[in-house]
């Protein structure tokens, strides 16, 4: 069996750094989406995949055993290093051989299979809202806009042991596997993802198109995709160099733009016509800048999230991002709920990064739910 790979990752349009990681070490492929604020998320996702790669290269153990070892490595680092305390990561991985794909999964990154026009999710989201959907408490449509949609019920590195979902998927010639972080699925619908995969034969081009689609839709999170095209053949290890690949943890964008060389300026006496042209151009730039400013202002005024301010839980208007020293959010409501105590609850690992909401009322509802959960935890079972 021969595997042709396409892979892409991007910081998105809101985050300050890329906390996703990916591993392409044929026949092992994985995607990890880190969490933990500041630098913890990037450390968690990278450490988890480093440990998996290390064990894979020994030729010993199984995919499940590698994931369990990755969990212990992240957990132990979180305990020993206060700078990354509480960090964790999702992890969706697969090995591919002549028998098919063997999946291992923890968190809400996903694996999909596209086969002969049918597109289905192979993994189950380990999230609070998915649990509520399965219990019949909310609909799948309500889950997509629920204020707790980012709350994980299971992740790598937050507990000393973790349950790993496993599945064996037989593969046939022409199958296409997709591993991705929720930066893609949170922005692009499954029908849109399927359409891109079906209309883009080259896996690398398809990966790039998925990244662009997520950014066009808002790009509020890091985005990572790994596409595996399955073909009949004798090369069980897959195509490629066999070299591990990683995202750029500094958050810098990768660009294929050529280097432009600028020569010395030519000085000429400006004519009246050219002066007018420059005046027009400057005016256009000013107007465009003003238009962009107001567009951004309107957009930010419609965004809400729950985060931390001065050690307590707070409701913010805007998005949890900073650029050029400018904050894209401000506190609208301060509470007396200690953020440090909330961080100890397994339901709220995303508090440091911001729990998004559709409006102020929804954000305040999240705060009240946090208060109830904190009270329940204090009272005990």
């Amino acid at each position: 069996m021969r595997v042709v790979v396409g892979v892409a990752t991007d910081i998105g349009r809101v985050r300050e750094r890329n906390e996703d990681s990916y591993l392409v070490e044929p026949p092992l492929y994985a995607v990890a989406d880190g969490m933990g604020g500041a630098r913890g998320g990037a450390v968690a996702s990278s450490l988890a995949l480093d440990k998996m790669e290390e064990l894979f290269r020994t030729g010993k153990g199984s995919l499940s055993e590698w994931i369990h070892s990755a969990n212990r490595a992240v957990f132990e680092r979180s305990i020993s290093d206060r700078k990354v305390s509480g960090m964790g990561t999702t992890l969706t991985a697969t090995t591919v051989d002549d028998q098919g794909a063997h999946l291992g999964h923890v968190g809400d990154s996903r694996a999909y299979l596209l086969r002969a026009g049918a597109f289905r999710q192979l993994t189950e989201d380990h999230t609070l809202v998915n649990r509520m959907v399965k219990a019949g408490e909310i609909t799948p449509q309500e889950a997509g806009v629920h204020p707790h949609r980012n709350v994980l019920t299971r992740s790598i590195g937050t507990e000393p042991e973790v349950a790993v979902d496993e599945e064996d998927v037989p593969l046939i010639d022409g199958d296409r596997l997709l591993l991705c972080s929720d930066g893609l699925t949170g922005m692009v619908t499954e029908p849109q993802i399927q359409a891109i995969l079906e209309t883009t034969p080259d896996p690398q081009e398809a990966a790039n198109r998925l990244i662009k689609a997520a950014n066009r839709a808002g790009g509020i999170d890091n985005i990572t995709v790994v596409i595996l095209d399955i073909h009949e053949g004798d090369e069980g290890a897959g195509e490629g160099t066999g070299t591990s690949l990683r995202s750029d943890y500094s958050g810098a964008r990768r660009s294929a733009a050529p280097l432009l060389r600028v020569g010395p300026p030519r000085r000429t006496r400006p004519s009246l016509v050219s002066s007018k042209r420059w005046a027009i151009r400057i005016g256009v730039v000013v107007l465009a800048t003003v238009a962009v400013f107001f567009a951004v202002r309107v957009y930010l005024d419609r965004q809400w999230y729950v985060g931390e301010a001065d050690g307590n839980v707070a409701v913010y208007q805007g998005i949890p991002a900073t650029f050029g020293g400018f904050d894209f959010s401000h506190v609208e409501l301060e509470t007396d709920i200690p953020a440090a105590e909330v961080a100890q609850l397994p339901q709220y690992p995303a508090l440091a990064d911001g729990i998004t909401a559709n409006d102020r009322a929804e954000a305040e509802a999240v705060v009240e739910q946090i208060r109830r959960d904190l009270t329940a935890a204090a009272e005990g079972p």
Side-chain angles (χ1 to χ4, degrees), residues 141-219:
Q141 292 72 27
E142 291 171 332
V145 296
H146 197 279
H148 293 174
R149 61 186 178 276
N150 295 324
V151 177
L152 296 177
T153 57
R154 199 189 308 176
S155 58
I156 294 291
T158 52
E159 299 290 340
E161 298 295 334
V162 67
V164 179
D165 288 355
E166 296 182 79
E167 182 178 359
D168 289 317
V169 182
L171 298 174
I172 61 175
D173 183 51
D175 281 350
R176 174 168 275 188
L177 286 171
L178 167 67
L179 309 181
C180 62
S181 63
D182 69 341
L184 174 68
T185 54
M187 292 284 95
V188 187
T189 66
E190 289 186 355
Q192 291 172 325
I193 294 173
Q194 180 178 356
I196 291 174
L197 293 177
E198 288 182 328
T199 58
T200 315
D202 179 70
Q204 186 57 55
E205 183 182 352
N208 294 338
R209 286 190 61 191
L210 289 174
I211 295 290
K212 291 179 181 178
N215 277 325
R216 283 197 302 267

Side-chain angles (χ1 to χ4, degrees), residues 274-294:
S274 62
S275 297
K276 289 182 178 180
R277 287 176 178 172
W278 275 109
I280 293 173
R281 291 173 182 172
I282 293 172
V284 169
V285 171
V286 171
L287 290 175
T289 302
V290 172
V292 169
F293 172 81
F294 280 105

Side-chain angles (χ1 to χ4, degrees), residues 330-354:
H330 62 273
V331 175
E332 278 290 313
L333 175 65
E334 297 183 5
T335 76
D336 58 355
I337 305 174
E341 295 182 15
V342 176
Q344 302 303 314
L345 298 178
Q347 303 100 305
Y348 302 102
L351 179 64
D353 294 327

Side-chain angles (χ1 to χ4, degrees), residues 14-42:
V14 174
R15 302 292 188 182
E16 293 182 331
R17 59 186 57 82
N18 194 344
E19 298 185 347
D20 286 359
S21 296
Y22 61 80
L23 175 63
V24 176
E25 182 76 6
L28 172 62
Y29 311 90
V31 167
D33 179 358
M35 58 190 182
R39 55 190 289 264

